[in-house]
Amino acid sequence: MDKNVETALRYLKDPSYIPFLEKLKKAAVTTLEPLRAECCPSKEPIPFGRVRELTYLPAKKGDPWGGMFECAWFRFTGKIPSEGREDLALVLDVGGEGCVYDRTGVVQGITKVLGAVDFLQILPGKQLVPLDRLAIEGDALEVWVDCGNNGFSGISTGQSRLQRADLCRVRRDVIGLYYDFLACAQLAAMKDAPAYLKGLLKQTVSRAKKLTEEDVAACRAILAPMFDGTHKAPFTVYAQGHGHLDMAWLWPIRETRRKALRTFSNVLYQSTQAPGFSYNASQPQQFEFVREQAPELFERIKEAAKTGTVEPQGGMWVEPDTNLSGGESLIRQCVYGKRYFREQFGIDVKTLWLPDVFGYTAALPQIIKKCGMDNFMTIKLSWNRDNPFPHHSFLWTGLDDSEVLVHMAPLGDYTADADPAAVRGTW
């Protein structure tokens, strides 16, 4: 087993679960045949409109394509069987970040592994591209991937190399069982876990022999009481999707433009897979990056905003530092930010969203209120090393006695794993 996977699963505490989860992973996604891969490396990004005029060279697993912040276009081709297409997917691991395109434009973003939680997925990182997302003519498959080597947290990880490009068959019932079992195993690892839960997990492992459809259905039936409300806790936790994307951090600004495409394309797909899914995004500049590069994707975002699937959030043009910036600059951020969301989405934003700014000017409540907002969201006060902040929700009174309602996410970060520990920590 991959040592990273073993480390990620170790907190489940019962090692007998790990082989079973690995067995489910292998059964969930099986390779039918490799795709033909070709590559065109470049120092800087090349627009999608030029992909058909580029010169590609054959590529195979392990071939390098670019160093830190270098780029490449991959072209993957293959033949699709005429039957059973609804169960097919591409598995693409380019060894870096990428945006998948078909002949109509942006499809979705893919990435390498970014953290321990990625190793807990059916496939590490974001590698799976369902075939039903792609515009395919007849049995001929052709997709392109716009790639970037962005290292890890600003540190070079060497040359990016093609890791995998396969046409695969996906068993959605096994994927469902995998996540049912993983959620229950995570719950069983908590100190106050119900005693009967370990018994259900052992029954499941015992019942899953050859993982036929009958086996999988029976296993999910064993675990079903954990998800049907029978053991519902006396509190409700609300989860909101959010992609915290720094405007300029440990990559060139041109990568922010491409990251915005990858993020929003994934969000719109996820919204079709999970009823009730809602995602908020701040910083109009990133919406504008999408509009400039992929107008059709931007129009889909606008439609999603009408249904509440995407919630424009923030009230400022970007998420700025508030201490070095002058008052006029901060007010201009609010004027331009709110105007953009009002003109493009018909939404009057009422919350200032600054999760990741280190420190806030005492003038901010006055600026927030007089710019037509009532609320403020951050998490950064919880990162204070010396005097921990005592509140999560409170009224902040400014220099002129303006008051705004402030909320800090309970886990003290702008991300949270969707697992029992996160739910309990939030509660």
Side-chain angles (χ1 to χ4, degrees):
M1 182 195 301
D2 187 309
K3 288 189 178 298
N4 292 309
V5 175
E6 191 171 6
T7 300
L9 291 172
R10 191 171 296 157
Y11 76 95
L12 297 181
K13 296 183 180 179
D14 188 333
S16 68
Y17 301 150
I18 298 175
F20 179 62
L21 287 166
E22 287 297 292
K23 176 182 177 181
L24 292 178
K25 283 185 180 184
K26 290 178 181 178
V29 182
T30 55
T31 300
L32 295 181
E33 60 180 57
L35 301 173
R36 181 169 182 258
E38 300 169 288
C39 181
C40 176
S42 62
K43 295 296 184 182
E44 291 293 322
I46 298 172
F48 173 63
R50 294 182 53 198
V51 292
R52 293 187 182 277
E53 65 187 56
L54 301 178
T55 300
Y56 297 89
L57 298 175
K60 62 182 185 300
K61 180 180 177 180
D63 283 354
W65 54 261
M68 188 69 166
F69 297 135
E70 293 183 344
C71 307
W73 274 101
F74 275 92
R75 179 170 64 191
F76 298 110
T77 53
K79 186 176 181 180
I80 306 298
S82 57
E83 297 182 356
R85 289 191 177 191
E86 65 277 5
D87 297 325
L88 300 183
L90 309 185
V91 176
L92 303 175
D93 181 358
V94 297
E97 296 182 51
C99 190
V100 180
Y101 288 74
D102 62 16
R103 57 186 171 81
T104 66
V106 175
V107 176
Q108 74 172 68
I110 58 174
T111 69
K112 62 180 182 180
V113 169
L114 298 176
V117 70
D118 291 298
F119 290 107
L120 295 177
Q121 311 311 314
I122 286 289
L123 289 167
K126 298 179 178 69
Q127 301 178 18
L128 198 68
V129 185
L131 208 65
D132 60 12
R133 296 199 65 183
L134 302 171
I136 299 173
E137 295 178 318
D139 62 358
L141 169 73
E142 184 177 31
V143 297
W144 298 265
V145 182
D146 183 17
C147 303
N149 177 349
N150 297 319
F152 183 78
S153 292
I155 300 171
S156 173
T157 51
Q159 284 275 344
S160 279
R161 298 174 183 273
L162 177 62
Q163 301 295 327
R164 185 176 181 184
D166 295 321
L167 176 65
C168 298
R169 189 168 297 283
V170 176
R171 285 193 56 186
R172 300 180 192 278
D173 60 335
V174 176
I175 291 177
L177 174 58
Y178 175 87
Y179 286 111
D180 284 355
F181 190 91
L182 178 63
C184 290
Q186 290 172 321
L187 182 59
M190 299 179 71
K191 289 182 180 179
D192 54 352
Y196 59 80
L197 181 54
K198 292 185 178 180
L200 295 181
L201 291 169
K202 289 181 179 178
Q203 287 180 49
T204 303
V205 173
S206 176
R207 181 64 177 82
K209 298 182 175 64
K210 296 183 179 180
L211 291 180
T212 63
E213 289 186 11
E214 182 183 45
D215 280 335
V216 173
C219 288
R220 298 197 75 181
I222 292 171
L223 299 176
M226 299 305 301
F227 303 100
D228 65 6
T230 301
H231 305 289
K232 184 177 180 180
F235 61 89
T236 301
V237 170
Y238 296 92
Q240 177 79 5
H242 179 67
H244 179 66
L245 176 52
D246 288 292
M247 186 57 64
W249 190 44
L250 301 175
W251 51 73
I253 192 69
R254 47 93 157 158
E255 278 306 302
T256 306
R257 296 174 63 90
R258 303 205 294 170
K259 287 172 181 284
L261 283 182
R262 297 193 284 262
T263 300
F264 277 108
S265 60
N266 286 0
V267 164
L268 293 181
Y269 176 69
Q270 294 301 331
S271 70
T272 68
Q273 303 301 297
F277 173 86
S278 181
Y279 173 87
N280 66 34
S282 62
Q283 308 191 94
Q285 178 63 78
Q286 292 180 6
F287 286 82
E288 189 65 4
F289 282 159
V290 175
R291 190 187 67 80
E292 293 168 353
Q293 299 173 94
E296 74 290 343
L297 178 60
F298 183 73
E299 290 303 316
R300 290 169 54 203
I301 294 171
K302 291 178 73 171
E303 289 300 313
K306 291 177 182 177
T307 63
T309 299
V310 171
E311 179 186 343
Q313 188 62 272
M316 286 185 167
W317 185 258
V318 298
E319 295 173 4
D321 174 90
T322 78
N323 287 315
L324 295 179
S325 304
E328 181 189 0
S329 173
L330 295 175
I331 293 168
R332 191 184 304 117
Q333 288 273 0
C334 294
V335 170
Y336 289 157
K338 283 174 65 70
R339 178 190 297 167
Y340 185 88
F341 284 143
R342 188 168 57 249
E343 292 179 350
Q344 293 291 341
F345 295 90
I347 294 171
D348 185 20
V349 174
K350 293 295 185 181
T351 298
L352 183 59
W353 182 277
L354 297 179
D356 198 26
V357 178
F358 288 88
Y360 301 103
T361 172
L364 208 52
Q366 179 180 0
I367 292 173
I368 293 171
K369 291 293 287 189
K370 291 192 174 181
C371 286
M373 293 178 282
D374 302 307
N375 312 304
F376 179 57
M377 203 294 296
T378 184
I379 61 91
K380 223 52 179 186
L381 300 183
S382 65
W383 286 31
N384 196 319
R385 182 182 58 199
D386 299 316
N387 52 332
F389 196 77
H391 308 297
H392 287 293
S393 296
F394 55 94
L395 289 174
W396 181 14
T397 303
L399 297 174
D400 70 334
D401 291 333
S402 294
E403 283 190 342
V404 293
L405 178 62
V406 183
H407 180 65
M408 295 204 305
L411 295 182
D413 207 345
Y414 40 74
T415 62
D417 298 336
D419 62 15
V423 173
R424 173 51 60 86
T426 299
W427 174 70

